Amino acid sequence: MTQTMYISNAAEVITMSGHSEQPATKERMSDIHVIKNGSVWIKDGIIEDVDTDENIRKKYADDIRMAEYIDATGKIVTPGLIDPHTHLVHAGTRENEYAMRLKGKTYMEIMNAGGGIHATTRATKAASHEELYRQTKKRLNQFLLHGVTTVEAKSGYGLSWEDERKQLEVAQQLQNDHPIDIVSTFMGAHAVPFEEKDNPDAFVDRVIYEMLPEVAKKNLAVFNDVFCERGVFTPEQSKRILEAGKEHGLIPKIHADEIEPYGGAEIAAEVGAISAEHLLKASDEGIRKMAEAGVIGVLLPGTAFFLMAEYANARKMIDSGVPVALSTDANPGSSPTISLPFIMNLGCLNMSMTPEEVLTATTINAAHAIKCAHEAGSLEKGKRADVTIWDVPNYLMLSYQYGMNHVDTVIKAGRKLVEGGSLCKDEILSQY
Ligand code: NIG
Ligand code: FE
């Protein structure tokens, strides 16, 4: 039987329409397409129509009585948010390192002494598949409560094939079990294992010859990412790893110029990466090359906030024509948050982005950064009905009030999962 849903009479429906073919750049990042007194008509989990409430009532007059009715009066409706860069699957937390940093130690000092990524790698190796699954599922529910309906998830806390595979398999199982869509990235090259730090090239060889072929054969990831940073992987090693991934059909991404300027943005353009992430210290030349090659800049202002570092130059990137997306970078070391709405606040307040640009950056451009813009990221006929309803009267409120959660309702593929700001009583969601 056909299932219909009628989201009715929102103060504003932010459709983000018209950007599904290409990510939005420059002034097009401000075209968010607002329908006042708007409604969304959903059929079998797919968006059938988005229009003024008056028109929807006329067009579907015969079916309205049978539809699941959601009253959005006085609220706003956006596409479900998309987080295109997370380290979702990991065990444990690192609040001790946070305390050390507050006393003056740096992120890289802690990592070079065997903490940082190495600490989470130890915890993740020690965790069973079931334990990792449990911790990750809890995080996914938190994402949902903050209006997020699709996330990218990186491996990279295993650093051996066995443990990288464990992370990727947990993501794969949750993709099947949990309503949030998870798009996987292999990031075996997140760090050189601490015990092997004097022989990084041997580890790079293992990533290339041992791990990448298995990831591809088992279909465990779409993307291949590398932490290109002084003291982690050099530009040459990063290029080798990304080129090797391409041969196995994995699309390159790169953690670039996060702590120091290191030519990462340039490499992204050279290897034809879909996106370069972080970019706090990206060079002008790197930004120019990214714009020319159409590399999406995935900016993570939560990391600058939490590491108390200078923010990426979002303004320069947008004005130069780089399509920009925003993400939490959710991870236990440099950005322990799942709040994409807070990242929107940071985008405006600390990177001079406009409220319209941050909406584009967390919906359709984020979708492009993980290759799902054909099915998500905007409210348009034919797309999956991933919808967030916010209890605010206009979209400016979203990036104005900060540290608050305005999510009222979340709908994933036409199914209501969050209502009144709480998870719906559902078998899957209330399991933990
Ligand atoms: O994106 N930079 C490398 N990776 C993560 C941090 C991971 C961690 O500290 O656990 C990042 O910032
Ligand atoms: Fe990251």
Side-chain angles (χ1 to χ4, degrees):
M1 208 185 75
T2 304
Q3 296 229 316
T4 46
M5 182 183 265
Y6 168 37
I7 304 174
S8 154
N9 193 37
E12 297 176 347
V13 177
I14 320 296
T15 71
M16 305 301 324
S17 60
H19 306 293
S20 293
E21 298 304 318
Q22 292 292 328
T25 54
K26 293 193 170 173
E27 45 289 329
R28 280 179 49 82
M29 280 193 70
S30 304
D31 294 343
I32 62 171
H33 297 284
V34 181
I35 302 175
K36 298 242 184 223
N37 299 111
S39 293
V40 183
W41 188 262
I42 295 164
K43 198 168 134 195
D44 291 333
I46 301 290
I47 296 170
E48 174 86 4
D49 208 343
V50 188
D51 205 338
T52 59
D53 191 54
E54 201 185 341
N55 288 344
I56 293 282
R57 277 181 184 279
K58 273 190 216 144
K59 284 190 257 186
Y60 302 96
D62 294 344
D63 306 312
I64 270 179
R65 265 187 338 107
M66 296 301 287
E68 182 178 350
Y69 175 73
I70 296 184
D71 183 8
T73 306
K75 299 175 181 152
I76 72 162
V77 172
T78 68
L81 300 185
I82 296 181
D83 194 333
H85 178 142
T86 84
H87 301 260
L88 180 75
V89 185
H90 63 265
T93 50
R94 305 216 300 266
E95 61 277 28
N96 56 330
E97 295 182 2
Y98 167 61
M100 283 159 77
R101 283 197 303 103
L102 292 176
K103 287 192 182 142
K105 280 253 178 297
T106 69
Y107 177 82
M108 285 312 271
E109 277 167 2
I110 294 169
M111 177 167 169
N112 290 335
I117 293 171
H118 303 299
T120 301
T121 299
R122 283 191 293 276
T124 305
K125 276 180 184 295
S128 65
H129 177 101
E130 290 68 29
E131 177 57 18
L132 261 188
Y133 178 92
R134 194 188 63 78
Q135 293 193 24
T136 306
K137 190 167 198 170
K138 230 169 152 175
R139 259 168 236 137
L140 282 173
N141 287 349
Q142 288 295 327
F143 269 113
L144 207 50
L145 283 165
H146 287 77
V148 175
T149 50
T150 300
V151 299
E152 181 256 19
K154 299 176 196 297
S155 68
Y157 292 122
L159 310 185
S160 68
W161 171 234
E162 192 191 341
D163 293 301
E164 287 293 310
R165 188 179 68 191
K166 180 172 66 179
Q167 276 187 280
L168 292 167
E169 285 177 348
V170 166
Q172 189 179 52
Q173 195 185 342
L174 281 162
Q175 164 63 5
N176 294 330
D177 295 356
H178 194 281
I180 285 191
D181 272 294
I182 303 173
V183 180
S184 278
T185 295
F186 170 64
M187 198 176 178
H190 195 195
V192 178
F194 193 61
E195 315 67 49
E196 298 172 46
K197 63 179 184 314
D198 299 327
N199 195 4
D201 282 319
F203 180 69
V204 171
D205 281 348
R206 283 222 302 288
V207 169
I208 293 177
Y209 299 112
E210 189 189 318
M211 302 190 205
L212 277 170
E214 288 294 319
V215 173
K217 200 164 78 196
K218 297 193 158 58
N219 225 345
L220 282 169
V222 181
F223 302 103
N224 178 32
D225 198 343
V226 53
F227 188 10
C228 178
E229 191 72 46
R230 190 178 303 283
V232 191
F233 294 97
T234 65
E236 293 67 36
Q237 291 165 337
S238 303
K239 253 194 263 180
R240 273 188 69 206
I241 290 165
L242 295 178
E243 290 293 351
K246 271 163 51 179
E247 278 167 32
H248 291 286
L250 294 166
I251 303 165
K253 282 181 174 283
I254 179 168
H255 278 57
D257 307 311
E258 177 180 355
I259 316 278
E260 286 185 33
Y262 205 40
E266 289 85 339
I267 294 176
E270 273 168 46
V271 302
I274 186 156
S275 63
E277 339 269 308
H278 287 287
L279 303 168
L280 277 62
K281 301 284 163 59
S283 71
D284 289 354
E285 180 62 2
I287 292 175
R288 197 188 57 72
K289 286 191 169 160
M290 280 178 63
E292 208 174 78
V295 180
I296 299 173
V298 177
L299 306 185
L300 314 158
T303 309
F305 173 74
F306 195 70
L307 296 184
M308 296 173 284
E310 216 177 296
Y311 286 74
N313 195 342
R315 225 21 303 138
K316 174 168 260 163
M317 290 181 213
I318 295 173
D319 296 343
S320 312
V322 173
V324 164
L326 286 173
S327 160
T328 58
D329 194 19
N331 75 74
S334 68
S335 190
T337 185
I338 48 71
S339 179
L340 198 49
F342 179 58
I343 299 301
M344 290 162 96
N345 295 121
L346 290 179
C348 290
L349 290 167
N350 291 334
M351 296 200 304
S352 304
M353 291 172 74
T354 66
E356 294 79 15
E357 286 168 346
V358 299
L359 272 165
T360 302
T362 49
T363 55
I364 193 69
N365 276 10
H368 279 289
I370 54 172
K371 282 221 169 279
C372 61
H374 57 288
E375 56 186 9
S378 64
L379 302 176
E380 291 177 278
K381 184 177 166 64
K383 285 213 181 177
R384 198 170 53 224
D386 294 356
V387 185
T388 300
I389 305 177
W390 311 79
D391 193 4
V392 291
N394 63 67
Y395 72 81
L396 285 180
M397 292 288 283
L398 284 186
S399 51
Y400 155 68
Q401 292 183 325
Y402 68 94
M404 297 170 64
N405 189 358
H406 291 301
V407 171
D408 180 82
T409 302
V410 180
I411 292 151
K412 177 70 187 171
R415 195 166 134 220
K416 189 164 61 179
L417 299 172
V418 173
E419 188 175 23
S422 303
L423 290 174
C424 295
K425 287 280 164 270
D426 173 284
E427 243 180 273
I428 297 167
L429 297 173
S430 59
Q431 201 173 334
Y432 295 103

